[in-house]
Amino acid sequence: MDNYFLAITLVIFASFFQGTFGLGMKYMAPLKWEAWWLVHAFVAMILVPMVWAFIAIPDLIGVISHTDSATLWLAAFYGFLWGIGGILFGVSVEKTGISITYGIVMGLAASMGSIIPLFQIEGAFEQPSFPIILVGVALLLVGVAITAVAGVQRDKLKAGASSNSKAIRMGVMIAVASGVLSAFLNIGFANAAPVAQSAVEQYGVGTQNASLASWVVVLLGAFAMNGGYAIFRLARNNSWNSFTVADSKKAYRWAILAGIFWFAALGVYGQGAALMGNLGPVIGWPILLGLALIISNIWGYRAGEWKDSGKSFKVLLGGLCVLIVAICILGYANY
């Protein structure tokens, strides 16, 4: 019982970081996107995970080297696929806007990132909580869809003009691909469970800290995509001098801070999910993303993004209420 409440508390805490790290993306200038992103990705996917994991698991290299190589490559590959989804997210935003893209990506990432690990569990259909999880995930999708509709209504009210329908259709298709691929971050974490298990059984590491070893493996693949793409953009645009542009200290600080917050979300979530047992990635992931969506909208409201938005703000509140109900149902599923 104590572990259960600690697990839920950790996931809730993680959602604060997940819903907050995106604030740093508003402060990229004067750095080019590729320069800012390379710094951010290195901090988020390599530096912080490695440092934290080595502190919690002194023999991290031994843990990883004693894990079956097929497991390691598969987990890293899933991280790489998530990286592709992240790049497609940016492309979709350019074509359809943040509200439509965020709604589609969050909905698909939360649902598929939960359902696929559930089906990978032996005897998933016999789990007593199986129907409760499905109801919770379905409600989560409804809540995300409502918040996306609210965002679209707000954007139309402020823009006062219709966008190119062909570009929007293409953007929606890209957003769907991004949402599907974004789910692989959690799928990779779930499939990297043997790494954490090795840390617990062979090296005496605590269950919570052992989850950090899983993230190190998954995020190596994620950085290969994100860092690789940023370097490609730097080379293609010949924008290497962006790193030394004047008045960039603030942008660097936000790149580092956003990176710390980004992995803090995953690291703390992983600890909470580990305490939940086999259903941790199934239940914890949609709770994390659902709460993060609520928190990000709170930050948006405080920043004035919903000022003079009319009825769309009431629609948003309705969507957030549905998300809260869905999160409560998912939390009960593992009670």
Side-chain angles (χ1 to χ4, degrees):
M1 187 69 70
D2 290 340
N3 277 352
Y4 170 77
F5 284 110
L6 176 59
I8 291 295
T9 301
L10 287 171
V11 174
I12 292 172
F13 190 46
S15 68
F16 169 78
F17 292 115
Q18 182 69 22
T20 302
F21 88 91
L23 294 174
M25 296 181 185
K26 296 182 179 181
Y27 302 98
M28 288 187 180
L31 291 178
K32 294 288 188 181
W33 178 91
E34 49 267 34
W36 191 96
W37 194 257
L38 183 59
V39 174
H40 167 72
F42 177 76
V43 172
M45 302 171 198
I46 298 295
L47 182 62
V48 178
M50 286 285 193
V51 171
W52 190 355
F54 271 115
I55 292 173
I57 311 170
D59 197 2
L60 177 65
I61 302 301
V63 170
I64 294 175
S65 63
H66 280 82
T67 305
D68 179 61
S69 60
T71 298
L72 299 178
W73 281 107
L74 184 61
F77 177 66
Y78 284 149
F80 186 86
L81 291 178
W82 168 82
I84 298 174
I87 301 303
L88 292 179
F89 178 88
V91 176
S92 178
V93 167
E94 292 179 355
K95 295 182 179 294
T96 65
I98 186 66
S99 298
I100 296 176
T101 301
Y102 204 68
I104 293 172
V105 172
M106 285 287 285
L108 287 173
S111 57
M112 293 194 65
S114 172
I115 296 301
I116 292 177
L118 174 61
F119 287 163
Q120 289 180 324
I121 297 175
E122 187 176 351
F125 295 99
E126 284 72 42
Q127 292 278 345
S129 56
F130 180 77
I132 302 175
I133 294 172
L134 292 184
V135 171
V137 171
L139 267 181
L140 188 84
L141 280 170
V142 172
V144 170
I146 294 173
T147 59
V149 168
V152 172
Q153 290 178 350
R154 177 201 61 187
D155 293 347
K156 283 185 176 180
L157 183 65
K158 292 186 176 182
S162 59
S163 303
N164 185 293
S165 59
K166 185 176 180 180
I168 289 178
R169 286 197 297 270
M170 177 60 70
V172 167
M173 289 190 289
I174 295 172
V176 169
S178 173
V180 172
L181 290 170
S182 295
F184 280 98
L185 187 62
N186 192 53
I187 296 169
F189 175 70
N191 281 269
V195 184
Q197 186 177 357
S198 174
V200 173
E201 295 179 354
Q202 299 183 34
Y203 292 85
V205 179
T207 303
Q208 285 179 248
N209 288 332
S211 63
L212 294 167
S214 298
W215 280 126
V216 167
V217 176
V218 175
L219 294 180
L220 284 173
F223 181 76
M225 178 62 213
N226 281 267
Y229 181 70
I231 293 172
F232 166 75
R233 286 271 297 257
L234 285 163
R236 186 188 66 180
N237 300 331
N238 194 24
S239 51
W240 299 100
N241 60 351
S242 175
F243 287 108
T244 57
V245 69
D247 301 320
S248 58
K249 289 183 179 179
K250 185 176 181 180
Y252 276 116
R253 283 198 297 268
W254 276 105
I256 294 169
L257 186 61
I260 293 172
F261 268 52
W262 186 84
F263 183 72
L266 293 186
V268 176
Y269 153 71
Q271 292 185 326
L275 292 176
M276 291 181 182
N278 289 339
L279 290 177
V282 175
I283 294 171
W285 180 251
I287 292 177
L288 171 73
L289 295 189
L291 282 172
L293 182 56
I294 293 173
I295 291 168
S296 65
N297 274 290
I298 291 173
W299 286 120
Y301 175 78
R302 288 178 58 86
E305 293 178 6
W306 291 93
K307 186 178 180 180
D308 300 324
S309 57
K311 294 181 179 179
S312 60
F313 183 66
K314 293 182 180 179
V315 176
L316 172 71
L317 291 178
L320 297 184
C321 287
V322 174
L323 284 174
I324 292 171
V325 173
I327 289 165
C328 290
I329 291 173
L330 287 166
Y332 175 74
N334 201 41
Y335 184 73

